[in-house]
Structure formats: structure tokens, C-alpha cells
Amino acid sequence: MQDINFGLTQTIRDLKIKRNAVILAHNYQLGEIQDIADFVGDSLELSQQAAKTKADVIVFCGVHFMAETASILCPDKTVLLPDLNAGCPMANMINAQQLIERKKELPDALVVTYVNSSAQVKAESDICCTSANADRVVQSLGAHKILFIPDQYLGAYISLKTGIKMEFWPGYCPTHARIRPEDILRAKKDHPQAIVLAHPECRPETSSLADYVLSTGGMLRLARSTSRNEIIVATEIGLIYRLRKENPHKTFIAASEQAVCPRMKLITLDKILNSLETLSPVIKVTESVRVKAKKAVDKMLAIG
Ligand code: 13P
Ligand code: SF4
């Protein structure tokens, strides 16, 4: 089949070489963007890639906090986010001032901050986590009192999994909150042989119906290794593209077609080309915030 984007993708590839740029894309990005990226991954894997890239320019195909994390880790590189409106609504559910106020109410607590948060919030935190390592991060803190922000559902899942009690912030992902228990029950009825994978950003009543609760990277690994051929996927539907591409003989069923993150979908090939041409929009975290935020991100990366 003729690739309708062939000319555009070739121009992006040529310009990428000229700029010594790397394209990092989150697993929820549009298929054509995943195809052109140098690396596609979950939040943790993308941070790890950003930390070790030798490129001068990072084109971040994801949402704002992900590009900020790259800027925190690579202050000497030019980090581009092809559309500045690509922000994560959950990350905007808490700001640094709100966190400072909450910390006053819980002076003994260590703050564990999901990477889906602003650099200013990370700077006020003790340690970051992603959905791939949140359990290990929380366990690494021993018997300390913990304030987990901003995702109450990820926090509740980790608390259940580790048996560690925590204080939560009432944030959530609107995209994952759209996946209801009825969606899983319907999909299971239609596909009785299927296993169910859910992202921990889903509501507890939804994830409790899953066989496995995993980050997007964890879902990709499970899909490769399982002998089961039918898999119901409760996360943003962009992941299905990569699951099908990597496992052409398996069947993937989206738990809900409503699970679309509109901000992730703002990134397009045209905008990537424009970013490479103009070297904008740049995401640059101010140095005083960056130094503090990096401590929390580095602590997470040391756990892996
Ligand atoms: P992952 O780290 O599992 O890819 O999740 C990131 C995210 O934003 C999920 O909504
Ligand atoms: Fe944020 Fe949810 Fe979109 Fe992930 S899927 S970027 S948590 S709004």
C-alpha cells in the first residue's frame, strides 16, 4: 500500500539528521508518529532515553510534562514539543502552591509524585515515580508516612498492591476514568477467552476486573510473552496500534473506544516538521526549578 505521508516522513527524516535530532514518542501517539520515531515507549522508558541521548535536539511527541522531564534531565539539549497545547489534564490538577500548603498539613510525610506533574511540583517533591515503578518507589521509603500525588487511582492501586497506607491528592486521568467496569464486563462477555490488561490510572472498580494491571510498557511485554491470543486492553487506544504491529497474530480489543487522550493526539507529522524547521516550541525548565526537580527524578531513575 502506498504511504500517503511518504514525502512528509522523508523530509522529517532528512531534517532530523541535519539537526542531529532524536524523535521520542509515547505509546499513545498516532501510528504514523510511532512509525517515524527513533524510540517509542512508556514514561519511564522515555525519561531513560532522554537521559542517555547523544542528540542535540529532542523532539518530544507526547505531552508537556514528558518534554519537561527531558529538559530536567538534559539542560544542554534543545527540547521541542511540537504543540504547546499538548498538556496532561491530570498534571494540571495540582500546582506547586497547593502542594506546599498540603505539605504543611502533613509535615512528616514524604511526597511521592507521579511524573504526570509539572516541573514546579516535582521540585517540591521527595521522589518521582511512573506507573512502571510506583510500587518499588513506595516500598523504597520504608515505614515513612507518604503523600502520593496527583493520581488518586494509581495511588490506591499501589496502596492495595504493597499494603502501604498513603495520603492521596484527588487527581485523576479523565481519559482512563472514562473506562467503566461495564466496558470490561461487556468485552469479557463478547470475548470469553480473552485476558484483560488495565492501566493503573483506571478507576479501582475497573482495574479490579483486570487480570494484569500494568504500565503501557508492561502491557507490551505481557502481550509478547503470553500464550493467550485474545487480549482486552483498558488504556488509551493509541497503544493498540503498537500491540497489533508487534503481535500481528493476536487479537487486541479496546475496552472502550472512548479512551482517547485528545492532548496526545495534538501532535502531528506537520507539526513535527515545523518544529524541526523552526526549532520551536522549546520547553526549557528554569534552572532553579530544574535542579530541585532533578533530585526527585534522579532518585526515581536510580530505582529503575
Ligand atoms: P505510561 O507511563 O504507562 O506509559 O503512562 C503514561 C500516561 O500518561 C498514561 O496515561
Ligand atoms: Fe494525562 Fe491521561 Fe492523557 Fe496520560 S492519558 S497524558 S494521564 S490525560
Side-chain angles (χ1 to χ4, degrees):
M1 199 171 66
Q2 178 92 33
D3 178 1
I4 49 164
N5 293 314
F6 181 75
L8 185 53
T9 54
Q10 197 49 49
T11 313
I12 292 172
R13 286 199 172 98
D14 294 344
L15 198 51
K16 198 181 68 167
I17 294 168
K18 200 170 142 202
R19 297 286 196 211
N20 189 24
V22 66
I23 300 181
L24 304 183
H26 187 264
N27 288 322
Y28 295 158
Q29 289 290 295
L30 295 168
E32 65 244 38
I33 290 172
Q34 297 193 25
D35 289 345
I36 203 176
D38 296 289
F39 185 83
V40 187
D42 67 15
S43 305
L44 178 62
E45 294 160 344
L46 292 171
S47 314
Q48 289 165 331
Q49 285 295 319
K52 69 179 187 200
T53 184
K54 298 240 179 319
D56 296 319
V57 176
I58 300 173
V59 184
F60 219 110
C61 303
V63 286
H64 193 270
F65 76 81
M66 296 177 176
E68 269 195 341
T69 306
S71 170
I72 290 166
L73 292 168
C74 321
D76 302 331
K77 306 207 183 286
T78 303
V79 180
L80 305 173
L81 179 65
D83 188 325
L84 278 183
N85 291 316
C88 165
M90 170 159 55
N92 297 332
M93 288 180 188
I94 184 166
N95 61 37
Q97 198 48 46
Q98 288 170 308
L99 175 54
I100 290 167
E101 295 303 321
R102 188 73 182 110
K103 284 202 297 186
K104 282 184 198 153
E105 293 164 0
L106 299 165
D108 305 332
L110 290 175
V111 181
V112 177
T113 297
Y114 191 28
V115 285
N116 298 38
S117 53
S118 69
Q120 286 89 343
V121 165
K122 289 183 176 77
E124 292 298 329
S125 307
D126 292 290
I127 187 165
C128 288
C129 71
T130 73
S131 57
N133 60 17
D135 51 352
R136 282 174 288 140
V137 166
V138 165
Q139 279 163 335
S140 76
L141 301 177
H144 253 97
K145 190 168 185 173
I146 294 173
L147 168 61
F148 190 97
I149 64 162
D151 187 352
Q152 60 180 313
Y153 298 147
L154 172 63
Y157 171 70
I158 295 301
S159 188
L160 189 72
K161 186 174 175 187
T162 61
I164 297 172
K165 276 194 170 170
M166 300 188 280
E167 297 288 334
F168 303 123
W169 185 262
Y172 64 96
C173 163
T175 297
H176 284 84
R178 252 174 247 139
I179 309 173
R180 315 298 303 212
E182 308 83 86
D183 296 321
I184 309 281
L185 295 173
R186 193 183 324 107
K188 276 170 84 150
K189 195 162 169 255
D190 294 346
H191 304 272
Q193 302 303 320
I195 51 167
V196 180
L197 315 186
H199 197 277
E201 286 177 14
C202 290
R203 297 166 183 276
E205 58 270 32
T206 301
S207 11
S208 65
L209 295 172
D211 297 294
Y212 301 92
V213 180
L214 298 161
S215 70
T216 59
M219 288 185 187
L220 285 154
R221 284 187 287 280
L222 194 284
R224 271 177 232 132
S225 62
T226 182
S227 57
R228 304 287 283 274
N229 283 322
E230 278 190 299
I231 304 174
I232 297 164
V233 184
T235 192
E236 209 275 349
I237 59 167
L239 186 69
I240 302 267
Y241 176 82
R242 187 165 168 203
L243 286 166
R244 287 186 180 143
K245 189 172 162 183
E246 291 184 0
N247 307 275
H249 303 300
K250 294 183 181 175
T251 303
F252 296 95
I253 304 114
S256 167
E257 295 293 338
Q258 308 300 313
V260 179
C261 176
R263 304 304 174 99
M264 281 275 179
K265 286 358 188 208
L266 287 176
I267 311 295
T268 62
L269 289 176
D270 285 318
K271 290 177 193 170
I272 293 173
L273 177 59
N274 184 59
S275 271
L276 280 167
E277 278 170 350
T278 60
L279 288 181
S280 70
V282 171
I283 302 297
K284 180 102 185 129
V285 177
T286 54
E287 193 57 14
S288 54
V289 171
R290 189 191 76 78
V291 171
K292 285 173 79 185
K294 188 167 184 294
K295 284 190 188 149
V297 175
D298 279 346
K299 277 192 211 153
M300 169 190 84
L301 290 176
I303 288 173

